[in-house]
Amino acid sequence: VQLVESGGESVQEGASLKLSCAVSGLTTYPENCMAWFRQAEGNEREVVAHFDSDRVANYADSVKGRFTISQDNAKSSLFLQMNSLRPEDTAMYYCAAEGRGYCLDADEYNYWAQGTQVTVS
């Protein structure tokens, strides 16, 4: 299984970015959760948005109304559209796949991308 991310950049406050995650080799897709996490320096990894096992999108309160998670079933790709970015969104962002359970904790996911840095100033 391979997850490859792209799209992280340094941007100004209020800008938009779209992160992409190409997923290959995942035989359980899309039955399990897929998610975007982020980890700011000194903080724990936190879920930003995820698709649960019913393919319903869920969001952390801090990003509701600004971020949108989407997927391309044909290509097994996951996306995160981030609008109205704030300095507090600065973090390393990770795509995660094959999540089980509540899908809110990093421990519930089996596969991870390498991470892409988003910096908002």
Side-chain angles (χ1 to χ4, degrees), residues 2-65:
Q2 188 174 24
L3 283 68
V4 179
E5 289 185 45
S6 62
E9 289 183 28
S10 295
V11 297
Q12 296 291 317
E13 185 174 2
S16 297
L17 277 179
K18 186 172 184 177
L19 305 183
S20 300
C21 178
V23 182
S24 60
L26 187 64
T27 59
T28 57
Y29 181 90
E31 290 80 11
N32 299 119
C33 301
M34 295 189 72
W36 288 96
F37 281 75
R38 68 185 179 187
Q39 188 168 17
E41 190 171 347
N43 291 354
E44 292 185 356
R45 195 167 295 190
E46 63 175 1
V47 65
V48 174
H50 77 280
F51 281 115
D52 62 23
S53 57
D54 293 323
R55 314 321 298 165
V56 175
N58 298 270
Y59 298 93
D61 288 342
S62 58
V63 306
K64 278 181 182 176

Side-chain angles (χ1 to χ4, degrees), residues 97-115:
E98 201 175 89
R100 294 186 172 91
Y102 292 106
C103 298
L104 298 176
D105 293 329
D107 291 346
E108 296 177 303
Y109 289 82
N110 288 330
Y111 301 108
W112 292 86
Q114 78 281 8

Side-chain angles (χ1 to χ4, degrees), residues 20-23 29 34 70-79:
S20 300
C21 178
V23 182
Y29 181 90
M34 295 189 72
S70 61
Q71 58 187 1
D72 179 343
N73 286 332
K75 297 182 178 180
S76 297
S77 295
L78 193 69
F79 306 98

